[in-house]
Amino acid sequence: MTGSAIEANGLGMTYGRKRGWALRDCSFRLPAGRVCALVGPNGAGKSTLLSLAAGLLRPSEGSVRVLGTDPGEARTRIAYVSQDKPLYPQLTVTDTLWAGRELNPATWDREAADRIAGPLPQDAKVRTLSGGQRTRLALALALGKRPELMLLDEPMADLDPLARHQLMGVLMAEAAEHATTIVMSSHILTELEGSCDYLLLVDGGQVRLGGESDDIVAAHAVVTGQVRDLAPHTVVESRTTGRQLTALVRKEGPVDPAAWDVTEPSLEELLLAHLRSPQAPPLLTPSATGGPSRTGAAA
Ligand SMILES: Nc1ncnc2c1ncn2[C@@H]1O[C@H](COP(=O)(O)OP(=O)(O)OP(=O)(O)O)[C@@H](O)[C@H]1O
């Protein structure tokens, strides 16, 4: 088994008793070297999970280990880009990159940072940059640090489509070349489909899907037909048009091709079906549990 980038055990976080649980009873493992999409609706707990992994929050219950140790101890090996991208507004782009080098003298990779920060006006003060430009600078700092684990909270949200495409390309090349683990939260599901090989779906503070994207997709099927009984498969979502039933199912064995038209769902289709169906049981593939597959039925 490869090493773990993140290992959560019964992880829970509340920001105050009256506020309830932002994250509850989360147990999963993210193997090192993966590019992981962290998806879920607003308020699902994605930022909370990333902040816990970055060591900026302490768990209210359970534990999280990062790169085999406590998040605080792994801090120099982690780069975290939060949604609000905190940078010093009075520094210029050049000064900011210089500070990045000074803070990470042992690992600073100027070429990697320049590849991302290159298009920015180098003498401009951070406070004069647009939201997208600030994102670019924050990502340059993160990549220049040459981390083992990048935790990116909606990194592409305020980038234009061209910048998004280019920066995704740089991140993917980085992951491939240096085996950097990347966890990237996003609401843009189509963007994740071609880039991420691992998936964590968080909803209501719980991990509902976890594992290799391909395996999670392969565990499901879209079936269309006139038969009503889908047993033994688990129906995640279904709709009826006339006499025709279309359903997204989690397969329990082979689906009868004589009774159903069967296609593989796209990742986007799969995620949307789960987001619309909070009652669907969780699915974690063996690599996400460190053991046999965990489903709602077996958990
Ligand atoms: N600093 C905070 N103080 C109090 N409650 C918080 C704080 N940060 C988050 N929460 C609460 O924790 C829950 C999870 O929030 P979180 O920001 O982790 O969700 P998210 O999945 O990142 O959402 P989004 O997609 O909108 O960014 C929400 O109910 C939110 O209101």
Side-chain angles (χ1 to χ4, degrees):
M1 198 197 293
T2 54
S4 297
I6 302 179
E7 231 176 316
N9 276 304
L11 182 63
M13 177 71 206
T14 172
Y15 290 95
R17 285 210 183 124
K18 286 191 191 142
R19 292 181 176 271
W21 292 89
L23 216 57
R24 189 92 206 252
D25 197 21
C26 287
S27 297
F28 70 89
R29 174 178 171 267
L30 170 65
R34 304 304 185 99
V35 179
C36 175
L38 177 59
V39 296
N42 289 130
K46 304 181 296 296
S47 300
T48 302
L49 179 58
L50 289 173
S51 300
L52 286 162
L56 298 180
L57 291 175
R58 287 168 68 85
S60 308
E61 62 177 27
S63 66
V64 61
R65 286 177 71 75
V66 172
L67 302 170
T69 183
D70 285 335
E73 282 185 19
R75 209 171 270 184
T76 55
R77 299 153 67 200
I78 303 173
Y80 170 55
V81 177
S82 64
Q83 266 178 40
D84 51 2
K85 327 238 164 29
L87 295 164
Y88 291 103
Q90 72 279 16
L91 293 188
T92 63
V93 169
T94 306
D95 292 342
T96 304
L97 293 172
W98 176 83
R101 192 189 67 201
E102 291 299 300
L103 290 170
N104 303 283
T107 56
W108 187 250
D109 183 338
R110 184 176 169 179
E111 216 174 281
D114 286 349
R115 216 176 308 149
I116 292 190
L120 296 173
Q122 303 292 306
D123 293 333
K125 295 220 156 111
V126 166
R127 68 176 140 78
T128 69
L129 298 179
S130 73
Q133 288 173 323
R134 268 197 284 265
T135 296
R136 194 175 264 281
L137 186 54
L139 285 173
L141 278 181
L143 207 65
K145 186 174 176 181
R146 181 65 66 227
E148 289 170 54
L149 172 64
M150 293 184 90
L151 301 168
L152 309 177
D153 201 351
E154 292 189 43
M156 306 292 163
D158 48 13
L159 292 172
D160 68 65
L162 209 61
R164 206 177 269 180
H165 191 258
Q166 189 231 339
L167 289 182
M168 251 338 214
V170 173
L171 285 176
M172 293 312 114
E174 163 73 19
E177 194 179 335
H178 299 279
T180 311
T181 309
I182 300 180
V183 185
M184 187 176 349
S185 76
S186 176
H187 291 291
I188 306 165
L189 303 180
T190 44
E191 187 174 85
L192 303 170
E193 186 133 30
S195 336
C196 298
D197 58 7
Y198 217 82
L199 177 73
L200 280 176
L201 169 64
V202 178
D203 195 0
Q206 309 238 292
V207 177
R208 295 190 45 211
L209 292 174
E212 295 82 355
S213 314
D214 287 350
D215 289 354
I216 290 177
V217 169
H220 295 83
V222 177
V223 300
T224 308
Q226 296 192 356
V227 186
R228 290 285 173 266
D229 184 12
L230 278 157
H233 310 294
T234 304
V235 179
V236 176
E237 188 185 49
S238 70
R239 66 172 185 278
T240 311
T241 319
R243 294 172 58 205
Q244 194 91 326
L245 177 77
T246 301
L248 190 135
V249 298
R250 191 168 300 158
K251 293 184 281 182
E252 302 294 340
V255 182
D256 180 5
W260 301 96
D261 279 342
V262 185
T263 56
E264 189 170 83
S266 66
L267 187 59
E268 187 180 18
E269 229 176 329
L270 180 77
L271 291 171
L272 287 174
H274 278 83
L275 290 175
R276 285 189 295 252
S277 310
Q279 79 290 348
L283 172 68
L284 278 88
T285 69
S287 75
T289 61
S293 175
R294 173 151 32 107
T295 64

